[in-house]
Structure formats: C-alpha cells, structure tokens
Amino acid sequence: LLLFRLGSRGKWWLAKVLTLAIAALVFAGILLVLVGGVSSFAFPWSTSWSELARGYAGRIEPNPAVLVLSPSSAFLQLFTLLVLGWFSLGLVTTLVSSLTNNGIVGFLAGAVIKIAGHFAYKGYIPRYLQNYSIATHFLLDFHRFGTKASMYPPFGASIIYWAVWIALFTTIGF
C-alpha cells in the first residue's frame, strides 16, 4: 500500500498504523475463511469439543487445560492473540524500516524478534524469562485457564503485553 505524506509526520504515522491494523485484521480474516472452508469438508461444525480433542487431551502438544473453554471462546481468544501479535510485529518492522529508511533492516528486526520467540518456545532461555517472550503471547496454548498452579500467564496478561507493545512502538513512531 502506498501512503502519501499527510500534513504532518504524526498524521502520516497514524495512517500507517491504521493501515497496518486493517491489514492484520484482513489477513486473519482471510486465514479464517480458508481454514474454516477447507476444514468444513472434513469435519462437522459443532459447539462442543470433538471426542478426539477430549480423548487426546494431555497426550498431545497443546495445553489440555484449553478444553475448559468452549470452542468458540477458544477460537475468539486465539484470533485476538494472532491479530494483536501480527499487528505488533508488523508495527516493529514498520517502525524500524521508517527509522532506518531500509526495508531489509525492518524485516530483519521482525525476523530476529520472531526467531528469539521461537528459541524461547523451544526452551533455550530460562523459564522465568519465557513469559516475556513473543511466542508465549502469540499462542493460546501458553495460557492459564483457571489453574492457579500453571506456569503460564492468564489471557488478560497477553492483552496487556500486546497493548504495551502497540503503545510503545506507536509512540516511538510519532
């Protein structure tokens, strides 16, 4: 998308941020339509978890505690995390590109943050630092679902995490 400079740098930056937010929503919406459309051929629609999901809870990678949520609630929370995460990562990339006047440097900044999050996900950093990782707040599996003894943060903490990212990098851009 081409954005022309508006009367001030602030208006120009705000237009970039709003365009990025819309792009993140559209991207998530397209993925939702594609995944929902393709999976509807193989799986029936239901308002409850499938027997397979309930039967494999605890034996597969995802956090089995997510099953305390309804599938629609889990979907909405995951959609929210993905949109906020993609928007935040795009915001960092856009900001670094704007500050350095180099798109490759911006791309590399986003890639480094994402790769660092992957290392945290794989356990290459101490556990107490993993809750500050981007991967922890991107995926629904890494959240506490009513279990106080869980080592994961609650869903609300991820909303705050992304709000801080968005506020910080939007403010820096002005």
Side-chain angles (χ1 to χ4, degrees), residues 91 110 125 137 140 152 154 166 169:
L91 194 57
I125 66 170
H137 300 282
L140 190 60
Y152 299 123
I166 291 167
F169 292 111

Side-chain angles (χ1 to χ4, degrees), residues 120-173:
Y121 168 74
K122 291 295 187 180
Y124 295 125
I125 66 170
R127 177 71 204 128
Y128 66 91
L129 292 176
Q130 288 180 6
N131 284 344
Y132 300 106
S133 158
I134 191 172
T136 302
H137 300 282
F138 237 116
L139 302 172
L140 190 60
D141 291 0
F142 298 120
H143 288 85
R144 169 183 326 163
F145 302 101
T147 53
K148 298 219 186 262
S150 174
M151 62 185 165
Y152 299 123
F155 177 75
S158 288
I159 299 299
I160 293 168
Y161 178 86
W162 292 124
V164 167
W165 268 62
I166 291 167
L168 177 69
F169 292 111
T170 299
T171 303
I172 293 171

